[in-house]
Amino acid sequence: LPHPRVSPPAQHPAGAMGAAKDSLLRLLCGVALLWACYVGRELHYEVRRRQLSNDAYPQYADLWDATWAFLGMLVAQLLFRPFFKAIARANIPKKSRWSDAVWGAKVERCCDSVFKCSYYAAMTTWSFALLRGAPWTPWVLGGGGSTKFCWTDGYPFQAVPPEMRRFYLTAIGFHLSEVAMLLLEVRHPDFWEMLLHHTVSCTLVCFSYVLNYVRMGTLVLHLHGATDVFIYLSKAVVDTPYLRMTAFSYFSLIAAYAWFRIYAFPVYIMRSAWVESMEQAGAHLYGWGYLNFALCVLLLLHMYWFGAHHQDRFPLQAHRAGQGHAVELVVHGHGEQEDLVRGPRVVALALAPAGALRGRRGGVGPRWTSRGGS
C-alpha cells in the first residue's frame, strides 16, 4: 500500500511572527544605513560651506571630543562590571532554579543597568539645567517656551552655548559606545531591535550636530533620558528581593514612558520637526527626510515595546491545589521589552495580600509560570 502523505508540521504562529519581525527589522536597518550613508555624503558640502562662512558653526573637529567620550564611556562600562559585581551578587540571591550561567547573566545585567541608570540620571539633570529656561523648551518637558523657536533666531547659524556643546558631544560618545557594546556582546533575542534603535539614534545625534539641529536634538535627548532613568532602575532591581522598590520603579516607568515617549514625543517633538521646521526654516533644511524617517522609526519602536509590555498581563489566578489554593502568576516575556521591565511578577507579589504569600507548608503559595521569560 502507498504510504500516507504526511503534512509537514505547521509552524508555530509565534515563531512565524518572530521571523517576520526580524526580517522587517533587518530591512529597516539596511534602509537606515544606506540612506544615512547617502545623506552623509550629500550633506558634507553644505556643512563645509556653513563652517567656512561662520566660525561659531559646529565644526567637524568638535567630534574629537565625542570620540574621547566614546572611549571613556566604553572603558568605564567594562570596568564597572567587575567593580560592582560583588554588590550585585549580594543583592541578587541565587535561586535554586537558576544555573550559574543564568545567575551570572542577571548579575551582569544589574551591573550594566546601574551604570546606565546613573549615566541617564546625570545627563537628564544636566539637560534639564540647560533647557528649563530656554525659549524652545515646551511645558511638557519642564519649560515654558515653544518648539517653534528651534527653527528661528537665524537658523542654521544659531549660537550653541559651550555647555550645551559639551552635553551634546558627551551624548554622541555614549550612543557610539552603545553600538560598540551591542556588537561586542553575545547576541540576545532583541539584537535586531536594538541594532535598528542604535543605528537611527547614532545617525540622528551625529547629523543633528553637524547640521546644527542642536535645539531640537537636546529636547529629544532630554525626553529619552528622562525615561531611560526608570528603564534601567527597573532592570537593576527586578531580580532583587526589594519588592516595593521594584513596584515603585515599575509604575514610575509606565508613567514616564507614556508621558514622554507616547505623548510628548509625537505631539510636540515630531510635529515640530515635521511641520514647524518647514514653516520657519524651509529653505535651509538639509537631511529633513532622513531625520524625520529616523524619528518615525523611534516612535514605532516605542509603540511596539509599550504595546508588547501591556500584553504582559499578570493576573493572580487562584485555583485548587490539593487541600488548599495556589496562586499562579502568568508572565509573558519579550526581547527588548525587558527594558520596559521584566518584573511584573515581582510587582504583583509586592501588591498581593499577605495571605497569598504564605509558604507551601500551609498549602498556599505562589506558583510561577513564565512564558518566554527567563
Side-chain angles (χ1 to χ4, degrees), residues 2 39 53 84 95-96 113 119 126 136 163 176 204 215 235-236 272 281 301 335 342:
V39 170
S53 63
F84 194 77
K95 298 179 181 179
S96 58
S113 299
Y119 165 81
W126 192 2
W136 63 87
E163 191 69 13
L176 293 174
L204 267 176
R215 292 186 177 184
K235 292 180 70 172
S272 180
L301 288 172
R342 294 177 59 184

Tab-separated table of all heavy atoms in Angstrom, residues 2 39 53 84 95-96 113 119 126 136 163 176 204 215 235-236 272 281 301 335 342:
chain	number	residue	atom	x	y	z
A	2	PRO	N	0.446	2.277	-0.680
A	2	PRO	CA	1.253	3.508	-0.670
A	2	PRO	C	1.230	4.136	0.716
A	2	PRO	O	0.237	4.059	1.443
A	2	PRO	CB	0.545	4.392	-1.699
A	2	PRO	CG	-0.859	3.881	-1.755
A	2	PRO	CD	-0.755	2.393	-1.522
A	39	VAL	N	22.864	60.361	2.688
A	39	VAL	CA	22.648	61.697	3.243
A	39	VAL	C	23.961	62.291	3.734
A	39	VAL	O	24.251	63.476	3.519
A	39	VAL	CB	21.605	61.638	4.377
A	39	VAL	CG1	21.538	62.963	5.134
A	39	VAL	CG2	20.234	61.305	3.814
A	53	SER	N	31.782	79.760	6.463
A	53	SER	CA	31.154	81.085	6.474
A	53	SER	C	30.878	81.606	7.880
A	53	SER	O	30.583	82.788	8.044
A	53	SER	CB	29.838	81.046	5.683
A	53	SER	OG	28.922	80.166	6.282
A	84	PHE	N	31.404	46.483	40.406
A	84	PHE	CA	30.100	46.432	41.068
A	84	PHE	C	29.583	45.009	41.232
A	84	PHE	O	28.564	44.788	41.891
A	84	PHE	CB	29.090	47.246	40.248
A	84	PHE	CG	27.814	47.554	40.968
A	84	PHE	CD1	27.766	48.553	41.938
A	84	PHE	CD2	26.646	46.846	40.685
A	84	PHE	CE1	26.591	48.840	42.607
A	84	PHE	CE2	25.467	47.126	41.342
A	84	PHE	CZ	25.437	48.131	42.313
A	95	LYS	N	18.742	31.686	43.146
A	95	LYS	CA	17.614	30.794	43.382
A	95	LYS	C	17.941	29.398	42.892
A	95	LYS	O	18.780	29.208	42.011
A	95	LYS	CB	16.365	31.341	42.670
A	95	LYS	CG	15.932	32.706	43.191
A	95	LYS	CD	14.712	33.232	42.470
A	95	LYS	CE	14.330	34.618	42.999
A	95	LYS	NZ	13.148	35.190	42.303
A	96	SER	N	17.268	28.443	43.461
A	96	SER	CA	17.604	27.045	43.166
A	96	SER	C	17.376	26.693	41.708
A	96	SER	O	18.071	25.827	41.161
A	96	SER	CB	16.775	26.121	44.060
A	96	SER	OG	15.389	26.356	43.865
A	113	SER	N	22.909	47.896	34.206
A	113	SER	CA	21.744	48.756	34.425
A	113	SER	C	22.041	49.845	35.448
A	113	SER	O	21.575	50.981	35.289
A	113	SER	CB	20.559	47.903	34.888
A	113	SER	OG	20.204	46.950	33.911
A	119	TYR	N	24.207	57.080	34.524
A	119	TYR	CA	24.517	57.961	33.397
A	119	TYR	C	23.298	58.795	33.006
A	119	TYR	O	23.393	60.025	32.862
A	119	TYR	CB	24.989	57.134	32.199
A	119	TYR	CG	24.990	57.913	30.900
A	119	TYR	CD1	26.034	58.766	30.573
A	119	TYR	CD2	23.914	57.818	30.010
A	119	TYR	CE1	26.024	59.513	29.396
A	119	TYR	CE2	23.896	58.551	28.832
A	119	TYR	CZ	24.949	59.397	28.532
A	119	TYR	OH	24.918	60.130	27.376
A	126	TRP	N	21.554	67.303	33.881
A	126	TRP	CA	22.340	68.270	33.103
A	126	TRP	C	21.469	68.932	32.034
A	126	TRP	O	21.467	70.166	31.882
A	126	TRP	CB	23.520	67.540	32.476
A	126	TRP	CG	24.575	68.421	31.885
A	126	TRP	CD1	24.615	69.797	31.873
A	126	TRP	CD2	25.763	67.988	31.202
A	126	TRP	NE1	25.749	70.237	31.230
A	126	TRP	CE2	26.469	69.152	30.814
A	126	TRP	CE3	26.297	66.743	30.896
A	126	TRP	CZ2	27.678	69.089	30.116
A	126	TRP	CZ3	27.498	66.669	30.203
A	126	TRP	CH2	28.184	67.835	29.825
A	136	TRP	N	12.822	77.430	23.624
A	136	TRP	CA	12.313	76.362	22.769
A	136	TRP	C	11.884	75.122	23.557
A	136	TRP	O	11.498	74.115	22.959
A	136	TRP	CB	13.374	75.971	21.730
A	136	TRP	CG	14.649	75.417	22.306
A	136	TRP	CD1	14.909	74.125	22.628
A	136	TRP	CD2	15.834	76.149	22.616
A	136	TRP	NE1	16.191	73.988	23.110
A	136	TRP	CE2	16.788	75.226	23.114
A	136	TRP	CE3	16.191	77.496	22.514
A	136	TRP	CZ2	18.058	75.610	23.520
A	136	TRP	CZ3	17.461	77.876	22.917
A	136	TRP	CH2	18.376	76.952	23.411
A	163	GLU	N	28.423	74.990	27.093
A	163	GLU	CA	27.952	73.906	27.968
A	163	GLU	C	27.023	72.958	27.214
A	163	GLU	O	27.081	71.741	27.399
A	163	GLU	CB	27.234	74.502	29.180
A	163	GLU	CG	26.944	73.502	30.290
A	163	GLU	CD	28.204	73.021	31.001
A	163	GLU	OE1	29.278	73.641	30.817
A	163	GLU	OE2	28.123	72.024	31.736
A	176	LEU	N	27.570	56.085	20.652
A	176	LEU	CA	28.529	55.258	19.909
A	176	LEU	C	29.011	54.082	20.757
A	176	LEU	O	29.201	52.968	20.245
A	176	LEU	CB	29.713	56.115	19.461
A	176	LEU	CG	29.406	57.184	18.414
A	176	LEU	CD1	30.638	58.055	18.160
A	176	LEU	CD2	28.928	56.552	17.107
A	204	LEU	N	21.019	60.099	14.005
A	204	LEU	CA	20.276	61.296	14.381
A	204	LEU	C	21.136	62.265	15.170
A	204	LEU	O	21.194	63.463	14.870
A	204	LEU	CB	19.051	60.909	15.218
A	204	LEU	CG	17.734	60.686	14.495
A	204	LEU	CD1	16.665	60.216	15.480
A	204	LEU	CD2	17.272	61.960	13.813
A	215	ARG	N	19.111	72.468	18.994
A	215	ARG	CA	17.981	72.773	19.873
A	215	ARG	C	16.968	71.632	19.890
A	215	ARG	O	16.524	71.199	20.954
A	215	ARG	CB	17.312	74.080	19.425
A	215	ARG	CG	18.187	75.312	19.638
A	215	ARG	CD	17.429	76.594	19.325
A	215	ARG	NE	18.252	77.783	19.595
A	215	ARG	CZ	17.819	79.034	19.482
A	215	ARG	NH1	16.563	79.277	19.095
A	215	ARG	NH2	18.625	80.044	19.752
A	235	LYS	N	15.385	47.569	35.588
A	235	LYS	CA	16.214	46.409	35.248
A	235	LYS	C	17.230	46.108	36.342
A	235	LYS	O	17.617	44.955	36.534
A	235	LYS	CB	16.925	46.649	33.914
A	235	LYS	CG	15.974	46.693	32.724
A	235	LYS	CD	16.702	46.930	31.425
A	235	LYS	CE	17.527	45.732	31.027
A	235	LYS	NZ	18.100	45.875	29.663
A	236	ALA	N	17.657	47.143	37.063
A	236	ALA	CA	18.645	46.926	38.118
A	236	ALA	C	18.053	46.211	39.321
A	236	ALA	O	18.739	45.428	39.988
A	236	ALA	CB	19.258	48.265	38.550
A	272	SER	N	6.994	69.353	15.546
A	272	SER	CA	7.884	70.467	15.287
A	272	SER	C	8.869	70.141	14.165
A	272	SER	O	9.111	70.959	13.276
A	272	SER	CB	8.649	70.841	16.558
A	272	SER	OG	9.526	71.923	16.327
A	281	ALA	N	11.902	77.477	8.680
A	281	ALA	CA	13.234	77.447	8.044
A	281	ALA	C	13.269	76.502	6.857
A	281	ALA	O	14.250	75.785	6.655
A	281	ALA	CB	14.274	77.030	9.079
A	301	LEU	N	9.201	51.937	17.302
A	301	LEU	CA	9.811	51.078	18.315
A	301	LEU	C	9.205	51.351	19.689
A	301	LEU	O	8.929	50.420	20.449
A	301	LEU	CB	11.321	51.286	18.335
A	301	LEU	CG	12.097	50.722	17.137
A	301	LEU	CD1	13.553	51.173	17.195
A	301	LEU	CD2	12.027	49.197	17.107
A	335	GLY	N	11.674	40.459	24.172
A	335	GLY	CA	13.081	40.752	23.944
A	335	GLY	C	13.496	42.057	24.563
A	335	GLY	O	13.767	42.156	25.746
A	342	ARG	N	11.215	43.587	33.329
A	342	ARG	CA	10.887	42.173	33.332
A	342	ARG	C	10.397	41.790	34.715
A	342	ARG	O	10.610	40.686	35.173
A	342	ARG	CB	12.111	41.358	32.931
A	342	ARG	CG	12.524	41.595	31.512
A	342	ARG	CD	13.772	40.841	31.179
A	342	ARG	NE	13.589	39.410	31.374
A	342	ARG	CZ	14.572	38.539	31.223
A	342	ARG	NH1	15.760	38.933	30.899
A	342	ARG	NH2	14.353	37.262	31.413
